[in-house]
Amino acid sequence: MPAETVKLTGKPVAEHLRENIKERVERLKGKNIVPAILIVRVGNKEDDVFYERSILKNCSLLGIQGRVKELSTNVSMEELTEVIEDANDDESIHGIMMFRPLPKHLDEKKILEKMNPKKDIDGMTPVNLEKVFEGDDSGFSPCTPSAVIEMLKYYDIPLEGSNVAVAGRSLVVGKPLAMLLLKENATVTICHSKTKNMGSVTSKADIVVAAIGKAKFMGREYFSQSSIVIDVGVNDDGTGKICGDVDYDKVLGQVKALTPPTGGVGTITTTILLEHAVKACEILTANRH
Ligand code: NAP
């Protein structure tokens, strides 16, 4: 049994990123530019409102202007498209973040196609996803996969040549993460719900990223004593408490390093979104002195 599992917490990673963001915001302010984002929220889902509050709080701490456009759940495609196109044209808005999934009557793909990729700080437009798959970092990659990469880099976990197993293949987490890891020269295996004996794959990897959305699904048998485990999962454990995809209590002490069920990757995600907002602002105002 390893003497102690290193706890990979997100807070120092986020703080490190924030220092850099603050310096860049100051530089922009020196040019009379205030980075600003528009959050587009359709409906009033509790999770969305909670995340929105956290984004706005972080905006004000970092000197970024956060605005919200709240729309009713029965908003039409035309109305939502107009909101996105107005934000595209508004020079005082540098980043747009739209909560998803949208209600079923709205065509999310079509809306994302309308969004200016240069303002897509959440990294979900086809142009930005294509860049992630091309290994081109001039665009914006989705925030959660980027948060995983920042976490690994902050803790000096080598990626080049490492075997990384990614459990989950969604377009929001698993797939783009696999591409970002490839860019870092890791050897990546993607697992999913049809993978046979996933534990035999993950337990051989140097690094395992869990992103399957199944409460405490991955126990000891999925890892080895040398595993570095990044748990992206955010689930209800059945008693109203948040838990990851990894069975934290059973795995702690059995692996080399592990993220906690709260205070892990999720802590970094909002900071990445705001780093993207500053990057968007820098690019969009590059010709202003
Ligand atoms: P998702 O769209 O539901 O995708 C889940 C993926 O896991 C799918 O690819 C699915 O495989 C795979 N999967 C499901 N059950 C499996 C099993 N038993 N064995 C192996 N693979 C399995 O979820 P997501 O949006 O990627 O999110 C994943 C988790 O991350 C969720 O808990 C979510 O709450 C969390 N999350 C966290 C953050 C953050 O900032 N911390 C952000 C986004 C998401 P198939 O493709 O075969 O169906």
Side-chain angles (χ1 to χ4, degrees), residues 68-116:
V68 178
K69 181 76 184 171
E70 185 182 342
L71 299 160
S72 93
T73 35
N74 51 27
V75 66
S76 68
M77 269 301 276
E78 291 69 32
E79 285 167 308
L80 181 55
T81 305
E82 200 180 313
V83 167
I84 298 296
E85 285 178 340
D86 285 350
N88 285 344
D89 295 341
D90 186 339
E91 284 187 10
S92 71
I93 294 172
H94 309 102
I96 308 168
M97 189 272 179
M98 182 181 73
F99 282 106
R100 290 165 309 113
L102 292 170
K104 287 216 164 47
H105 69 280
L106 298 167
D107 187 336
E108 198 167 285
K109 202 161 170 268
K110 277 209 179 120
I111 298 283
L112 287 171
E113 279 165 7
K114 296 280 180 202
M115 192 185 288
N116 180 354

mmCIF file of all heavy atoms in Angstrom, residues 68-116:
data_model
loop_
_atom_site.group_PDB
_atom_site.id
_atom_site.type_symbol
_atom_site.label_atom_id
_atom_site.label_comp_id
_atom_site.label_asym_id
_atom_site.label_seq_id
_atom_site.Cartn_x
_atom_site.Cartn_y
_atom_site.Cartn_z
ATOM 1 N N VAL A 68 -25.564 39.126 -17.818
ATOM 2 C CA VAL A 68 -26.406 37.934 -17.996
ATOM 3 C C VAL A 68 -27.596 38.266 -18.889
ATOM 4 O O VAL A 68 -28.242 39.300 -18.717
ATOM 5 C CB VAL A 68 -26.935 37.416 -16.633
ATOM 6 C CG1 VAL A 68 -27.835 36.208 -16.831
ATOM 7 C CG2 VAL A 68 -25.788 37.061 -15.690
ATOM 8 N N LYS A 69 -27.851 37.400 -19.855
ATOM 9 C CA LYS A 69 -29.085 37.501 -20.639
ATOM 10 C C LYS A 69 -29.916 36.274 -20.287
ATOM 11 O O LYS A 69 -29.565 35.138 -20.647
ATOM 12 C CB LYS A 69 -28.747 37.518 -22.137
ATOM 13 C CG LYS A 69 -29.949 37.647 -23.022
ATOM 14 C CD LYS A 69 -30.482 39.057 -23.031
ATOM 15 C CE LYS A 69 -31.758 39.176 -23.847
ATOM 16 N NZ LYS A 69 -32.411 40.461 -23.715
ATOM 17 N N GLU A 70 -31.001 36.521 -19.550
ATOM 18 C CA GLU A 70 -31.867 35.416 -19.147
ATOM 19 C C GLU A 70 -33.054 35.346 -20.095
ATOM 20 O O GLU A 70 -33.687 36.361 -20.372
ATOM 21 C CB GLU A 70 -32.342 35.659 -17.711
ATOM 22 C CG GLU A 70 -33.146 34.514 -17.172
ATOM 23 C CD GLU A 70 -33.673 34.770 -15.759
ATOM 24 O OE1 GLU A 70 -33.155 35.663 -15.079
ATOM 25 O OE2 GLU A 70 -34.614 34.066 -15.380
ATOM 26 N N LEU A 71 -33.307 34.157 -20.606
ATOM 27 C CA LEU A 71 -34.423 33.982 -21.553
ATOM 28 C C LEU A 71 -35.383 32.919 -21.029
ATOM 29 O O LEU A 71 -34.959 32.002 -20.310
ATOM 30 C CB LEU A 71 -33.869 33.545 -22.917
ATOM 31 C CG LEU A 71 -32.906 34.536 -23.570
ATOM 32 C CD1 LEU A 71 -32.053 33.846 -24.607
ATOM 33 C CD2 LEU A 71 -33.674 35.684 -24.222
ATOM 34 N N SER A 72 -36.638 33.043 -21.441
ATOM 35 C CA SER A 72 -37.609 32.063 -20.934
ATOM 36 C C SER A 72 -37.427 30.726 -21.656
ATOM 37 O O SER A 72 -36.897 30.678 -22.769
ATOM 38 C CB SER A 72 -39.037 32.585 -21.120
ATOM 39 O OG SER A 72 -39.541 32.128 -22.336
ATOM 40 N N THR A 73 -37.883 29.645 -21.031
ATOM 41 C CA THR A 73 -37.673 28.308 -21.611
ATOM 42 C C THR A 73 -38.384 28.142 -22.950
ATOM 43 O O THR A 73 -38.017 27.277 -23.729
ATOM 44 C CB THR A 73 -38.200 27.191 -20.678
ATOM 45 O OG1 THR A 73 -39.354 27.660 -20.029
ATOM 46 C CG2 THR A 73 -37.183 26.739 -19.688
ATOM 47 N N ASN A 74 -39.404 28.976 -23.216
ATOM 48 C CA ASN A 74 -40.052 28.825 -24.530
ATOM 49 C C ASN A 74 -39.557 29.839 -25.563
ATOM 50 O O ASN A 74 -40.235 30.104 -26.547
ATOM 51 C CB ASN A 74 -41.587 28.834 -24.404
ATOM 52 C CG ASN A 74 -42.073 30.012 -23.603
ATOM 53 O OD1 ASN A 74 -41.391 31.044 -23.567
ATOM 54 N ND2 ASN A 74 -43.220 29.887 -22.962
ATOM 55 N N VAL A 75 -38.353 30.344 -25.371
ATOM 56 C CA VAL A 75 -37.752 31.263 -26.349
ATOM 57 C C VAL A 75 -37.654 30.551 -27.712
ATOM 58 O O VAL A 75 -37.440 29.337 -27.775
ATOM 59 C CB VAL A 75 -36.348 31.725 -25.848
ATOM 60 C CG1 VAL A 75 -35.368 30.575 -25.791
ATOM 61 C CG2 VAL A 75 -35.785 32.841 -26.710
ATOM 62 N N SER A 76 -37.849 31.316 -28.786
ATOM 63 C CA SER A 76 -37.800 30.683 -30.116
ATOM 64 C C SER A 76 -36.363 30.667 -30.646
ATOM 65 O O SER A 76 -35.495 31.394 -30.144
ATOM 66 C CB SER A 76 -38.686 31.467 -31.089
ATOM 67 O OG SER A 76 -38.115 32.744 -31.323
ATOM 68 N N MET A 77 -36.140 29.857 -31.666
ATOM 69 C CA MET A 77 -34.826 29.789 -32.330
ATOM 70 C C MET A 77 -34.428 31.182 -32.817
ATOM 71 O O MET A 77 -33.277 31.591 -32.679
ATOM 72 C CB MET A 77 -34.903 28.843 -33.543
ATOM 73 C CG MET A 77 -34.562 27.410 -33.282
ATOM 74 S SD MET A 77 -32.905 27.145 -32.648
ATOM 75 C CE MET A 77 -31.928 27.111 -34.144
ATOM 76 N N GLU A 78 -35.424 31.889 -33.397
ATOM 77 C CA GLU A 78 -35.137 33.220 -33.963
ATOM 78 C C GLU A 78 -34.663 34.173 -32.868
ATOM 79 O O GLU A 78 -33.672 34.881 -33.034
ATOM 80 C CB GLU A 78 -36.398 33.805 -34.642
ATOM 81 C CG GLU A 78 -36.837 33.099 -35.912
ATOM 82 C CD GLU A 78 -37.386 31.692 -35.666
ATOM 83 O OE1 GLU A 78 -37.988 31.441 -34.592
ATOM 84 O OE2 GLU A 78 -37.195 30.818 -36.535
ATOM 85 N N GLU A 79 -35.379 34.142 -31.730
ATOM 86 C CA GLU A 79 -35.012 35.069 -30.643
ATOM 87 C C GLU A 79 -33.618 34.748 -30.089
ATOM 88 O O GLU A 79 -32.801 35.645 -29.875
ATOM 89 C CB GLU A 79 -36.048 34.966 -29.501
ATOM 90 C CG GLU A 79 -37.363 35.650 -29.817
ATOM 91 C CD GLU A 79 -38.451 35.257 -28.812
ATOM 92 O OE1 GLU A 79 -38.664 34.042 -28.607
ATOM 93 O OE2 GLU A 79 -39.056 36.164 -28.247
ATOM 94 N N LEU A 80 -33.363 33.458 -29.876
ATOM 95 C CA LEU A 80 -32.065 33.086 -29.310
ATOM 96 C C LEU A 80 -30.934 33.400 -30.304
ATOM 97 O O LEU A 80 -29.870 33.902 -29.917
ATOM 98 C CB LEU A 80 -32.065 31.591 -28.931
ATOM 99 C CG LEU A 80 -30.784 31.044 -28.298
ATOM 100 C CD1 LEU A 80 -30.378 31.842 -27.055
ATOM 101 C CD2 LEU A 80 -30.952 29.578 -27.911
ATOM 102 N N THR A 81 -31.192 33.131 -31.575
ATOM 103 C CA THR A 81 -30.188 33.442 -32.606
ATOM 104 C C THR A 81 -29.874 34.929 -32.593
ATOM 105 O O THR A 81 -28.716 35.339 -32.697
ATOM 106 C CB THR A 81 -30.710 33.022 -34.012
ATOM 107 O OG1 THR A 81 -31.076 31.646 -33.944
ATOM 108 C CG2 THR A 81 -29.650 33.207 -35.082
ATOM 109 N N GLU A 82 -30.926 35.743 -32.434
ATOM 110 C CA GLU A 82 -30.730 37.194 -32.430
ATOM 111 C C GLU A 82 -29.852 37.624 -31.234
ATOM 112 O O GLU A 82 -28.978 38.481 -31.383
ATOM 113 C CB GLU A 82 -32.091 37.890 -32.366
ATOM 114 C CG GLU A 82 -32.030 39.332 -32.832
ATOM 115 C CD GLU A 82 -33.405 39.988 -32.755
ATOM 116 O OE1 GLU A 82 -34.379 39.366 -33.208
ATOM 117 O OE2 GLU A 82 -33.479 41.107 -32.219
ATOM 118 N N VAL A 83 -30.090 37.007 -30.088
ATOM 119 C CA VAL A 83 -29.286 37.327 -28.894
ATOM 120 C C VAL A 83 -27.807 37.021 -29.174
ATOM 121 O O VAL A 83 -26.918 37.826 -28.880
ATOM 122 C CB VAL A 83 -29.783 36.521 -27.663
ATOM 123 C CG1 VAL A 83 -28.793 36.593 -26.508
ATOM 124 C CG2 VAL A 83 -31.150 37.023 -27.225
ATOM 125 N N ILE A 84 -27.559 35.861 -29.771
ATOM 126 C CA ILE A 84 -26.164 35.461 -30.054
ATOM 127 C C ILE A 84 -25.558 36.393 -31.101
ATOM 128 O O ILE A 84 -24.417 36.858 -30.953
ATOM 129 C CB ILE A 84 -26.109 33.972 -30.537
ATOM 130 C CG1 ILE A 84 -26.634 33.025 -29.442
ATOM 131 C CG2 ILE A 84 -24.707 33.581 -30.992
ATOM 132 C CD1 ILE A 84 -25.834 32.975 -28.153
ATOM 133 N N GLU A 85 -26.336 36.700 -32.147
ATOM 134 C CA GLU A 85 -25.784 37.561 -33.204
ATOM 135 C C GLU A 85 -25.527 38.986 -32.694
ATOM 136 O O GLU A 85 -24.529 39.610 -33.059
ATOM 137 C CB GLU A 85 -26.716 37.555 -34.422
ATOM 138 C CG GLU A 85 -26.558 36.235 -35.176
ATOM 139 C CD GLU A 85 -27.471 36.072 -36.379
ATOM 140 O OE1 GLU A 85 -28.508 36.784 -36.451
ATOM 141 O OE2 GLU A 85 -27.178 35.222 -37.227
ATOM 142 N N ASP A 86 -26.408 39.480 -31.824
ATOM 143 C CA ASP A 86 -26.184 40.809 -31.228
ATOM 144 C C ASP A 86 -24.898 40.812 -30.402
ATOM 145 O O ASP A 86 -24.114 41.760 -30.449
ATOM 146 C CB ASP A 86 -27.361 41.210 -30.319
ATOM 147 C CG ASP A 86 -28.581 41.629 -31.139
ATOM 148 O OD1 ASP A 86 -28.439 41.776 -32.378
ATOM 149 O OD2 ASP A 86 -29.669 41.790 -30.538
ATOM 150 N N ALA A 87 -24.687 39.721 -29.648
ATOM 151 C CA ALA A 87 -23.469 39.631 -28.825
ATOM 152 C C ALA A 87 -22.226 39.519 -29.711
ATOM 153 O O ALA A 87 -21.173 40.081 -29.390
ATOM 154 C CB ALA A 87 -23.568 38.431 -27.878
ATOM 155 N N ASN A 88 -22.371 38.817 -30.852
ATOM 156 C CA ASN A 88 -21.250 38.732 -31.803
ATOM 157 C C ASN A 88 -20.843 40.135 -32.268
ATOM 158 O O ASN A 88 -19.660 40.444 -32.382
ATOM 159 C CB ASN A 88 -21.655 37.952 -33.067
ATOM 160 C CG ASN A 88 -21.741 36.455 -32.841
ATOM 161 O OD1 ASN A 88 -21.237 35.936 -31.859
ATOM 162 N ND2 ASN A 88 -22.405 35.755 -33.765
ATOM 163 N N ASP A 89 -21.878 40.969 -32.528
ATOM 164 C CA ASP A 89 -21.625 42.295 -33.114
ATOM 165 C C ASP A 89 -21.232 43.341 -32.067
ATOM 166 O O ASP A 89 -20.709 44.392 -32.425
ATOM 167 C CB ASP A 89 -22.894 42.800 -33.842
ATOM 168 C CG ASP A 89 -23.235 41.926 -35.041
ATOM 169 O OD1 ASP A 89 -22.334 41.206 -35.510
ATOM 170 O OD2 ASP A 89 -24.407 41.943 -35.480
ATOM 171 N N ASP A 90 -21.537 43.075 -30.815
ATOM 172 C CA ASP A 90 -21.305 44.065 -29.758
ATOM 173 C C ASP A 90 -19.820 44.092 -29.364
ATOM 174 O O ASP A 90 -19.311 43.156 -28.754
ATOM 175 C CB ASP A 90 -22.172 43.685 -28.540
ATOM 176 C CG ASP A 90 -22.118 44.718 -27.436
ATOM 177 O OD1 ASP A 90 -21.151 45.507 -27.397
ATOM 178 O OD2 ASP A 90 -23.038 44.731 -26.598
ATOM 179 N N GLU A 91 -19.149 45.173 -29.714
ATOM 180 C CA GLU A 91 -17.697 45.236 -29.469
ATOM 181 C C GLU A 91 -17.337 45.296 -27.989
ATOM 182 O O GLU A 91 -16.188 45.059 -27.621
ATOM 183 C CB GLU A 91 -17.104 46.453 -30.187
ATOM 184 C CG GLU A 91 -16.969 46.218 -31.678
ATOM 185 C CD GLU A 91 -16.227 47.326 -32.382
ATOM 186 O OE1 GLU A 91 -15.641 48.192 -31.702
ATOM 187 O OE2 GLU A 91 -16.253 47.325 -33.618
ATOM 188 N N SER A 92 -18.332 45.629 -27.156
ATOM 189 C CA SER A 92 -18.017 45.703 -25.721
ATOM 190 C C SER A 92 -18.116 44.326 -25.056
ATOM 191 O O SER A 92 -17.818 44.171 -23.875
ATOM 192 C CB SER A 92 -18.946 46.702 -25.023
ATOM 193 O OG SER A 92 -20.256 46.168 -24.963
ATOM 194 N N ILE A 93 -18.551 43.307 -25.813
ATOM 195 C CA ILE A 93 -18.589 41.931 -25.282
ATOM 196 C C ILE A 93 -17.481 41.122 -25.958
ATOM 197 O O ILE A 93 -17.401 41.074 -27.190
ATOM 198 C CB ILE A 93 -19.966 41.268 -25.543
ATOM 199 C CG1 ILE A 93 -21.054 41.982 -24.741
ATOM 200 C CG2 ILE A 93 -19.937 39.782 -25.180
ATOM 201 C CD1 ILE A 93 -22.456 41.538 -25.083
ATOM 202 N N HIS A 94 -16.632 40.505 -25.137
ATOM 203 C CA HIS A 94 -15.508 39.754 -25.704
ATOM 204 C C HIS A 94 -15.703 38.244 -25.636
ATOM 205 O O HIS A 94 -15.069 37.509 -26.395
ATOM 206 C CB HIS A 94 -14.219 40.138 -24.976
ATOM 207 C CG HIS A 94 -14.014 41.615 -24.903
ATOM 208 N ND1 HIS A 94 -14.270 42.348 -23.777
ATOM 209 C CD2 HIS A 94 -13.654 42.494 -25.856
ATOM 210 C CE1 HIS A 94 -14.046 43.628 -24.020
ATOM 211 N NE2 HIS A 94 -13.675 43.749 -25.275
ATOM 212 N N GLY A 95 -16.553 37.809 -24.710
ATOM 213 C CA GLY A 95 -16.769 36.370 -24.573
ATOM 214 C C GLY A 95 -18.250 36.055 -24.361
ATOM 215 O O GLY A 95 -18.958 36.817 -23.700
ATOM 216 N N ILE A 96 -18.695 34.945 -24.952
ATOM 217 C CA ILE A 96 -20.097 34.518 -24.772
ATOM 218 C C ILE A 96 -20.080 33.101 -24.188
ATOM 219 O O ILE A 96 -19.322 32.240 -24.656
ATOM 220 C CB ILE A 96 -20.861 34.474 -26.123
ATOM 221 C CG1 ILE A 96 -20.705 35.799 -26.877
ATOM 222 C CG2 ILE A 96 -22.332 34.135 -25.910
ATOM 223 C CD1 ILE A 96 -21.176 35.737 -28.338
ATOM 224 N N MET A 97 -20.904 32.906 -23.166
ATOM 225 C CA MET A 97 -21.027 31.567 -22.581
ATOM 226 C C MET A 97 -22.518 31.235 -22.520
ATOM 227 O O MET A 97 -23.279 31.988 -21.921
ATOM 228 C CB MET A 97 -20.405 31.596 -21.187
ATOM 229 C CG MET A 97 -20.255 30.267 -20.538
ATOM 230 S SD MET A 97 -21.745 29.868 -19.643
ATOM 231 C CE MET A 97 -21.346 28.299 -19.025
ATOM 232 N N MET A 98 -22.924 30.169 -23.178
ATOM 233 C CA MET A 98 -24.344 29.796 -23.199
ATOM 234 C C MET A 98 -24.522 28.459 -22.466
ATOM 235 O O MET A 98 -23.841 27.479 -22.790
ATOM 236 C CB MET A 98 -24.809 29.677 -24.645
ATOM 237 C CG MET A 98 -26.280 29.346 -24.791
ATOM 238 S SD MET A 98 -26.753 29.207 -26.513
ATOM 239 C CE MET A 98 -25.994 27.653 -26.968
ATOM 240 N N PHE A 99 -25.429 28.461 -21.500
ATOM 241 C CA PHE A 99 -25.681 27.213 -20.773
ATOM 242 C C PHE A 99 -26.317 26.176 -21.693
ATOM 243 O O PHE A 99 -27.185 26.494 -22.499
ATOM 244 C CB PHE A 99 -26.606 27.464 -19.583
ATOM 245 C CG PHE A 99 -25.895 28.076 -18.420
ATOM 246 C CD1 PHE A 99 -26.059 29.404 -18.095
ATOM 247 C CD2 PHE A 99 -25.028 27.309 -17.646
ATOM 248 C CE1 PHE A 99 -25.389 29.972 -17.027
ATOM 249 C CE2 PHE A 99 -24.353 27.860 -16.576
ATOM 250 C CZ PHE A 99 -24.532 29.195 -16.265
ATOM 251 N N ARG A 100 -25.878 24.953 -21.552
ATOM 252 C CA ARG A 100 -26.429 23.826 -22.301
ATOM 253 C C ARG A 100 -26.641 22.650 -21.338
ATOM 254 O O ARG A 100 -26.000 22.626 -20.294
ATOM 255 C CB ARG A 100 -25.442 23.414 -23.415
ATOM 256 C CG ARG A 100 -25.358 24.425 -24.514
ATOM 257 C CD ARG A 100 -24.147 24.206 -25.397
ATOM 258 N NE ARG A 100 -22.937 24.090 -24.620
ATOM 259 C CZ ARG A 100 -22.213 22.986 -24.515
ATOM 260 N NH1 ARG A 100 -22.553 21.903 -25.152
ATOM 261 N NH2 ARG A 100 -21.138 22.946 -23.772
ATOM 262 N N PRO A 101 -27.440 21.671 -21.659
ATOM 263 C CA PRO A 101 -28.230 21.582 -22.886
ATOM 264 C C PRO A 101 -29.370 22.597 -22.921
ATOM 265 O O PRO A 101 -29.902 22.972 -21.872
ATOM 266 C CB PRO A 101 -28.785 20.152 -22.846
ATOM 267 C CG PRO A 101 -28.758 19.757 -21.403
ATOM 268 C CD PRO A 101 -27.614 20.505 -20.781
ATOM 269 N N LEU A 102 -29.705 22.985 -24.150
ATOM 270 C CA LEU A 102 -30.848 23.887 -24.351
ATOM 271 C C LEU A 102 -32.126 23.050 -24.338
ATOM 272 O O LEU A 102 -32.073 21.834 -24.560
ATOM 273 C CB LEU A 102 -30.718 24.572 -25.718
ATOM 274 C CG LEU A 102 -29.567 25.574 -25.877
ATOM 275 C CD1 LEU A 102 -29.425 25.967 -27.351
ATOM 276 C CD2 LEU A 102 -29.801 26.820 -25.027
ATOM 277 N N PRO A 103 -33.294 23.698 -24.099
ATOM 278 C CA PRO A 103 -34.553 22.943 -24.212
ATOM 279 C C PRO A 103 -34.667 22.267 -25.587
ATOM 280 O O PRO A 103 -34.101 22.771 -26.570
ATOM 281 C CB PRO A 103 -35.616 24.037 -24.048
ATOM 282 C CG PRO A 103 -34.938 25.148 -23.334
ATOM 283 C CD PRO A 103 -33.492 25.101 -23.728
ATOM 284 N N LYS A 104 -35.375 21.150 -25.616
ATOM 285 C CA LYS A 104 -35.406 20.274 -26.809
ATOM 286 C C LYS A 104 -35.840 20.962 -28.107
ATOM 287 O O LYS A 104 -35.413 20.577 -29.196
ATOM 288 C CB LYS A 104 -36.322 19.070 -26.535
ATOM 289 C CG LYS A 104 -35.675 18.094 -25.571
ATOM 290 C CD LYS A 104 -36.014 16.661 -25.915
ATOM 291 C CE LYS A 104 -35.110 15.665 -25.251
ATOM 292 N NZ LYS A 104 -34.868 15.886 -23.816
ATOM 293 N N HIS A 105 -36.729 21.989 -27.994
ATOM 294 C CA HIS A 105 -37.223 22.600 -29.232
ATOM 295 C C HIS A 105 -36.171 23.504 -29.897
ATOM 296 O O HIS A 105 -36.374 23.997 -30.995
ATOM 297 C CB HIS A 105 -38.516 23.404 -28.958
ATOM 298 C CG HIS A 105 -38.290 24.649 -28.145
ATOM 299 N ND1 HIS A 105 -38.151 24.625 -26.780
ATOM 300 C CD2 HIS A 105 -38.159 25.947 -28.516
ATOM 301 C CE1 HIS A 105 -37.948 25.865 -26.326
ATOM 302 N NE2 HIS A 105 -37.952 26.679 -27.364
ATOM 303 N N LEU A 106 -35.037 23.706 -29.223
ATOM 304 C CA LEU A 106 -33.990 24.563 -29.787
ATOM 305 C C LEU A 106 -32.858 23.700 -30.359
ATOM 306 O O LEU A 106 -32.447 22.726 -29.735
ATOM 307 C CB LEU A 106 -33.431 25.494 -28.705
ATOM 308 C CG LEU A 106 -34.445 26.465 -28.096
ATOM 309 C CD1 LEU A 106 -33.892 27.109 -26.847
ATOM 310 C CD2 LEU A 106 -34.848 27.539 -29.120
ATOM 311 N N ASP A 107 -32.395 24.064 -31.547
ATOM 312 C CA ASP A 107 -31.345 23.299 -32.215
ATOM 313 C C ASP A 107 -29.979 23.852 -31.784
ATOM 314 O O ASP A 107 -29.494 24.857 -32.317
ATOM 315 C CB ASP A 107 -31.532 23.401 -33.738
ATOM 316 C CG ASP A 107 -30.577 22.506 -34.497
ATOM 317 O OD1 ASP A 107 -29.512 22.164 -33.948
ATOM 318 O OD2 ASP A 107 -30.898 22.153 -35.651
ATOM 319 N N GLU A 108 -29.401 23.146 -30.802
ATOM 320 C CA GLU A 108 -28.158 23.627 -30.179
ATOM 321 C C GLU A 108 -27.022 23.776 -31.201
ATOM 322 O O GLU A 108 -26.267 24.751 -31.186
ATOM 323 C CB GLU A 108 -27.769 22.600 -29.115
ATOM 324 C CG GLU A 108 -26.801 23.103 -28.103
ATOM 325 C CD GLU A 108 -26.724 22.132 -26.936
ATOM 326 O OE1 GLU A 108 -27.661 22.097 -26.122
ATOM 327 O OE2 GLU A 108 -25.726 21.400 -26.861
ATOM 328 N N LYS A 109 -26.953 22.789 -32.102
ATOM 329 C CA LYS A 109 -25.874 22.786 -33.096
ATOM 330 C C LYS A 109 -25.963 24.049 -33.967
ATOM 331 O O LYS A 109 -24.965 24.729 -34.206
ATOM 332 C CB LYS A 109 -26.021 21.519 -33.956
ATOM 333 C CG LYS A 109 -24.762 21.109 -34.647
ATOM 334 C CD LYS A 109 -24.823 19.649 -35.081
ATOM 335 C CE LYS A 109 -23.657 19.316 -35.991
ATOM 336 N NZ LYS A 109 -23.952 19.500 -37.418
ATOM 337 N N LYS A 110 -27.197 24.359 -34.397
ATOM 338 C CA LYS A 110 -27.394 25.537 -35.268
ATOM 339 C C LYS A 110 -27.024 26.820 -34.528
ATOM 340 O O LYS A 110 -26.420 27.731 -35.101
ATOM 341 C CB LYS A 110 -28.852 25.616 -35.727
ATOM 342 C CG LYS A 110 -29.137 24.745 -36.928
ATOM 343 C CD LYS A 110 -30.281 25.341 -37.752
ATOM 344 C CE LYS A 110 -30.533 24.468 -38.977
ATOM 345 N NZ LYS A 110 -31.882 23.931 -39.020
ATOM 346 N N ILE A 111 -27.401 26.901 -33.261
ATOM 347 C CA ILE A 111 -27.093 28.105 -32.473
ATOM 348 C C ILE A 111 -25.574 28.260 -32.330
ATOM 349 O O ILE A 111 -25.025 29.342 -32.515
ATOM 350 C CB ILE A 111 -27.744 28.031 -31.063
ATOM 351 C CG1 ILE A 111 -29.271 27.952 -31.157
ATOM 352 C CG2 ILE A 111 -27.289 29.184 -30.170
ATOM 353 C CD1 ILE A 111 -29.976 29.250 -31.468
ATOM 354 N N LEU A 112 -24.903 27.133 -32.019
ATOM 355 C CA LEU A 112 -23.443 27.206 -31.845
ATOM 356 C C LEU A 112 -22.742 27.594 -33.147
ATOM 357 O O LEU A 112 -21.708 28.262 -33.124
ATOM 358 C CB LEU A 112 -22.903 25.878 -31.306
ATOM 359 C CG LEU A 112 -23.221 25.607 -29.834
ATOM 360 C CD1 LEU A 112 -22.853 24.185 -29.439
ATOM 361 C CD2 LEU A 112 -22.494 26.603 -28.916
ATOM 362 N N GLU A 113 -23.322 27.177 -34.265
ATOM 363 C CA GLU A 113 -22.739 27.555 -35.563
ATOM 364 C C GLU A 113 -22.810 29.067 -35.785
ATOM 365 O O GLU A 113 -22.023 29.636 -36.523
ATOM 366 C CB GLU A 113 -23.465 26.827 -36.711
ATOM 367 C CG GLU A 113 -22.958 25.397 -36.899
ATOM 368 C CD GLU A 113 -23.883 24.553 -37.760
ATOM 369 O OE1 GLU A 113 -24.861 25.104 -38.322
ATOM 370 O OE2 GLU A 113 -23.634 23.333 -37.853
ATOM 371 N N LYS A 114 -23.796 29.710 -35.144
ATOM 372 C CA LYS A 114 -23.972 31.160 -35.305
ATOM 373 C C LYS A 114 -22.990 31.952 -34.434
ATOM 374 O O LYS A 114 -22.732 33.119 -34.670
ATOM 375 C CB LYS A 114 -25.402 31.576 -34.889
ATOM 376 C CG LYS A 114 -26.485 30.991 -35.752
ATOM 377 C CD LYS A 114 -26.634 31.767 -37.033
ATOM 378 C CE LYS A 114 -27.731 31.161 -37.899
ATOM 379 N NZ LYS A 114 -27.610 31.508 -39.307
ATOM 380 N N MET A 115 -22.508 31.337 -33.362
ATOM 381 C CA MET A 115 -21.669 32.076 -32.416
ATOM 382 C C MET A 115 -20.294 32.356 -33.014
ATOM 383 O O MET A 115 -19.681 31.468 -33.617
ATOM 384 C CB MET A 115 -21.522 31.260 -31.121
ATOM 385 C CG MET A 115 -20.925 32.057 -29.974
ATOM 386 S SD MET A 115 -20.629 31.019 -28.521
ATOM 387 C CE MET A 115 -22.269 30.703 -27.916
ATOM 388 N N ASN A 116 -19.814 33.587 -32.843
ATOM 389 C CA ASN A 116 -18.475 33.929 -33.316
ATOM 390 C C ASN A 116 -17.446 33.087 -32.549
ATOM 391 O O ASN A 116 -17.326 33.215 -31.324
ATOM 392 C CB ASN A 116 -18.234 35.430 -33.064
ATOM 393 C CG ASN A 116 -16.857 35.875 -33.519
ATOM 394 O OD1 ASN A 116 -16.025 35.060 -33.927
ATOM 395 N ND2 ASN A 116 -16.619 37.174 -33.451
#
